[in-house]
Amino acid sequence: MLEAKVTSQDVARLAGVSQSAVSRVFTPGASASKATIAKVRAAAEQLGYRPNPLARAMITGKSRIIGLVVAYLDNQFYPAALERLSNALQDKGYHILVFTAANSQDGIERVINDLMDYQVDGIITASVAMSSDLTARCAGAGIPVVLFNRGQPGAGLSSVTSANVEGGRKVARFLVGAGHSQIAHIAGWQGALTGRDRQRGFVEGLADLGVEACGLIDGMYDRDTAAAAARVLLDGAAPPTAIFVGNDHMAFAVIDQARAMGRVVGRDVAIVGYDDVPLAAWGAYDLTTVRQPLNRMVEATVETLLAQIADPARASQQIEIDGPLVVRTSARGEI
Amino acid sequence: MLEAKVTSQDVARLAGVSQSAVSRVFTPGASASKATIAKVRAAAEQLGYRPNPLARAMITGKSRIIGLVVAYLDNQFYPAALERLSNALQDKGYHILVFTAANSQDGIERVINDLMDYQVDGIITASVAMSSDLTARCAGAGIPVVLFNRGQPGAGLSSVTSANVEGGRKVARFLVGAGHSQIAHIAGWQGALTGRDRQRGFVEGLADLGVEACGLIDGMYDRDTAAAAARVLLDGAAPPTAIFVGNDHMAFAVIDQARAMGRVVGRDVAIVGYDDVPLAAWGAYDLTTVRQPLNRMVEATVETLLAQIADPARASQQIEIDGPLVVRTSARGEI
DNA sequence: CTGAAAGCGCTTACAG
DNA sequence: CTGAAAGCGCTTACAG
């Protein structure tokens, strides 16, 4: 019942050539005569032969597998990124070993160990940070790493993010321009550069216009935490008329919370997110937000990673991609 | 700069034993004396040795890699499933090669080829169907397959789904019990057993109570298609007072559409979904829906797959897991 | 261009 | 329990 697996030996026998000849026909860049190629291809076709990538990986040290480490899959931004990353890499002949890591150094450590065992050719981490000794280990093993949607100050790793500081500034200008002066920020998490940058741009942008944020709380990228922060802000003596939230995922929770407190979002309180995930455009939220240009971020990530795989000596690069503010009804251009 | 990779040879040399001895210490079930084990472990520790899984895979034919084929990652149900599946399998020492496939036979065919090349020990397909010849090829290659949230009539494959027929019945009883008589259904897709089963249970359930659906349209698991269907239904001469939608993802679009037409959901029109994804519980939708017990479905999937890997002769099994109707404000118990 | 041979890092009979 | 040896399916110098 089980098909015996067919090897290059079988093909060689049928084609009347050596096993090395078969290997050369299937090795890009190796030389073989037209006649040999024809005979081998015919035999391979007939037998249904396909080279064993595991054997190939063992000998070349190139597995054509990319490790993808993701967390926060409940934030719609990451499944969307995973899907596009996976498609783009598949098109380049790579395969994706996915790891869902709790965002703890411990979990990530285990994952990186596994990735190194499988001799992945490169690693993409989405949304998780890496400690510096993990970084060092990957570098030591010669495995290129690209951080997706996270920066790592001073680690010398490549990263692809949106222009977070400028994004924060855009929101500040927009809200002040709309006439708000009581403006609060529910940030991501101070431990993540992404969140810090958005906050910094936002606070600086406000300052440039002579405004100071009336509230600043970490939402930890978590719905419950963000909702609790919103409750505190809106319950205050002088509640904000506008809230900038560190990402869309939390902004949805903030909107739910505001509505539960009887506020009409977009009228009583303006709410702005960051990401522009698909859900932001759905009728129930219609969220004003800064778009992270996912397709371009994915392209840049794949390009950077493959370039580093091709040339390990290549310098790492930090890429920032600018995205527009998308205005919807959760925060209009005027009060 | 690059750490030379350390092999079992290196460990053997340092420990003063043969290379085979090292291998045995790291092979579960192989026999080695306490003394040998101690020496080898110490040497391995010192050198930072970890067995090369690729080499091991080539010789044993077991890669400890599971292929996971997913589509529809914009439907929140699947990222959630992916995350849990990945965690559960990681705990069992397996790794997940993820493929995002367009739901076409062509795309799936390519993916299956790749999976077979990588000698995956098993395949889980979430949300995609497989043609019968693909099924035959996997069987021929001795690779166990489990369908997650999809059935495949007559293919002899294992599958794990919720009790879809019964789920459809529950919705019928609920809506009729609430006093509705003008009831429509926006189904999934007739090409998918899951969708057909939900529809069948629903229609039969209505019939048992002497009610006939006033509208039946396929939503193709697509937001736009589902919204268009809702518009047609609600624009009709005798619009339904209740709509059962084939999954939550489409139900959100139906709610958005109904609201855009000025209807108050839960009062003017009752809407029921299927899945109970996290978003269903969020304030903006608060969707009444049939829960698919994700954790139990994942457990059953992993268990079935590993059992079939351990014993390839094992008969396939179709597992159905019952889930409750969760009542929220989009459709209450009474009109 | 091509074949014989070595070797990638392991596991597993085979003898002791 | 243990070592020497064969072999998993390939790629790649090495000679022709």
Side-chain angles (χ1 to χ4, degrees), chain A residues 104-114 131 133-134 137:
Chain A
S104 68
Q105 283 310 324
D106 229 46
I108 295 177
E109 165 115 38
R110 242 187 50 202
V111 161
I112 300 284
N113 274 338
D114 287 347
S131 70
D133 63 294
L134 279 182
R137 288 206 17 227

Side-chain angles (χ1 to χ4, degrees), chain A residues 140-220:
Chain A
I143 304 180
V145 177
V146 177
L147 266 33
F148 182 86
N149 204 32
R150 271 285 188 290
Q152 187 90 329
L157 293 182
S158 288
S159 64
V160 175
T161 63
S162 67
N164 290 305
V165 175
E166 178 52 26
R169 282 182 180 279
K170 277 179 190 160
V171 176
R173 284 195 295 266
F174 170 75
L175 289 176
V176 173
H180 292 282
S181 56
Q182 287 288 311
I183 310 180
H185 179 42
I186 297 178
W189 170 53
Q190 295 306 317
L193 184 62
T194 306
R196 287 204 306 274
D197 279 351
R198 288 174 194 171
Q199 171 168 335
R200 183 157 66 83
F202 182 64
V203 169
E204 288 177 2
L206 288 183
D208 288 350
L209 297 163
V211 177
E212 193 177 347
C214 71
L216 223 50
I217 313 182
D218 271 14
M220 307 305 289

Side-chain angles (χ1 to χ4, degrees), chain B residues 4 17 25 27 30 43 86 91 93 101 112 133 168 171 205 213 215 217 228 234 277 288 298 314 325:
Chain B
V17 299
V25 170
T27 304
S86 169
D91 284 348
I112 300 285
D133 64 296
V171 177
I217 313 183
L234 294 173
V277 298
T288 295
V298 165
R314 199 172 212 271
L325 179 76

Side-chain angles (χ1 to χ4, degrees), chain A residues 4-212:
Chain A
K5 69 181 76 174
V6 11
T7 72
S8 56
Q9 281 290 6
D10 302 325
V11 177
R13 206 149 27 221
L14 180 61
V17 298
S18 73
Q19 182 268 330
S20 351
V22 175
S23 175
R24 289 196 186 93
V25 171
F26 285 94
T27 303
S31 60
S33 68
K34 291 215 162 194
T36 303
I37 293 180
K39 278 189 295 188
V40 168
R41 289 233 176 268
E45 176 89 6
Q46 182 179 334
L47 262 32
Y49 169 75
R50 320 190 79 208
N52 181 330
L54 260 40
R56 181 176 274 175
M58 211 171 65
I59 209 159
T60 62
K62 300 275 148 214
S63 61
R64 297 198 77 82
I65 294 180
I66 302 293
L68 178 59
V69 187
V70 292
Y72 299 121
L73 239 35
D74 50 341
N75 174 350
Q76 218 186 170
F77 184 70
Y78 291 107
L82 190 162
E83 183 167 357
R84 283 171 176 73
L85 244 10
S86 167
N87 287 142
L89 255 4
Q90 270 174 226
D91 284 349
K92 301 282 188 184
Y94 284 85
H95 294 83
I96 311 238
L97 210 52
V98 165
F99 288 81
T100 49
N103 200 2
S104 68
Q105 283 310 324
D106 229 46
I108 295 177
E109 165 115 38
R110 242 187 50 202
V111 161
I112 300 284
N113 274 338
D114 287 347
L115 286 172
M116 305 228 298
D117 286 351
Y118 270 89
Q119 296 176 232
V120 296
D121 292 342
I123 298 177
I124 299 172
T125 68
S127 88
V128 294
M130 286 171 65
S131 70
S132 50
D133 63 294
L134 279 182
T135 306
R137 288 206 17 227
C138 290
I143 304 180
V145 177
V146 177
L147 266 33
F148 182 86
N149 204 32
R150 271 285 188 290
Q152 187 90 329
L157 293 182
S158 288
S159 64
V160 175
T161 63
S162 67
N164 290 305
V165 175
E166 178 52 26
R169 282 182 180 279
K170 277 179 190 160
V171 176
R173 284 195 295 266
F174 170 75
L175 289 176
V176 173
H180 292 282
S181 56
Q182 287 288 311
I183 310 180
H185 179 42
I186 297 178
W189 170 53
Q190 295 306 317
L193 184 62
T194 306
R196 287 204 306 274
D197 279 351
R198 288 174 194 171
Q199 171 168 335
R200 183 157 66 83
F202 182 64
V203 169
E204 288 177 2
L206 288 183
D208 288 350
L209 297 163
V211 177
E212 193 177 347

